[in-house]
Amino acid sequence: GFGLDKDLSSGINAEYGVEKRWSKAQKYYQAYLDVTENLSSTDDMSTFEPRYQILAKLAEMLCTGGFGLDKDSNRSGELYSEAAEAAMSSMNGRLANKFYMLAEEAWSSE
């Protein structure tokens, strides 16, 4: 589930044997995005994390790399840009601006 993904990306449950493994978390986040992408606007989205949050988390992990995940600044910028578009679609303009700024920073660190 999504809780495991958060555990893998943050290491918050390390005392239970869940260590940070961003490479594995990336796979779960991508699967989550694949599932939610095909939901229509009439589906009950209240049980899902907003797509822009998942996209931004992936972008953040790729921007720095580590914990078994290679750094990919270009892909990070693409994901931040996609997160910005998703945030705009959710009427979250300030957050979208933040994600656009992070996308530019990621691309400039290439």
Side-chain angles (χ1 to χ4, degrees), residues 3 6 9 17 20 22 25 29 33 46 48 53 60-62 70 83 87 101 109:
K6 285 183 179 177
S9 65
K20 277 188 183 182
W22 286 359
Y29 283 139
L33 290 170
S46 64
F48 295 99
Q53 286 182 350
E60 179 184 5
M61 293 187 312
L62 286 167
D70 292 333
M101 183 184 70
S109 72

Side-chain angles (χ1 to χ4, degrees), residues 21-90:
R21 285 183 287 184
W22 286 359
S23 57
K24 195 167 208 171
Q26 177 191 26
K27 291 175 187 170
Y28 283 115
Y29 283 139
Q30 189 57 56
Y32 181 89
L33 290 170
D34 293 343
V35 167
T36 59
E37 181 177 40
N38 296 321
L39 296 177
S40 71
S41 60
T42 59
D43 291 323
D44 181 14
M45 295 295 287
S46 64
T47 59
F48 295 99
E49 293 284 331
R51 286 182 59 80
Y52 57 82
Q53 286 182 350
I54 305 302
L55 290 162
K57 185 61 184 173
L58 274 169
E60 179 184 5
M61 293 187 312
L62 286 167
C63 193
T64 59
F67 305 104
L69 187 66
D70 292 333
K71 180 179 177 176
D72 187 343
S73 299
N74 189 49
R75 181 70 180 131
S76 174
E78 292 170 1
L79 288 169
Y80 273 131
S81 184
E82 194 175 335
E85 292 169 16
M88 285 296 279
S89 295
S90 296

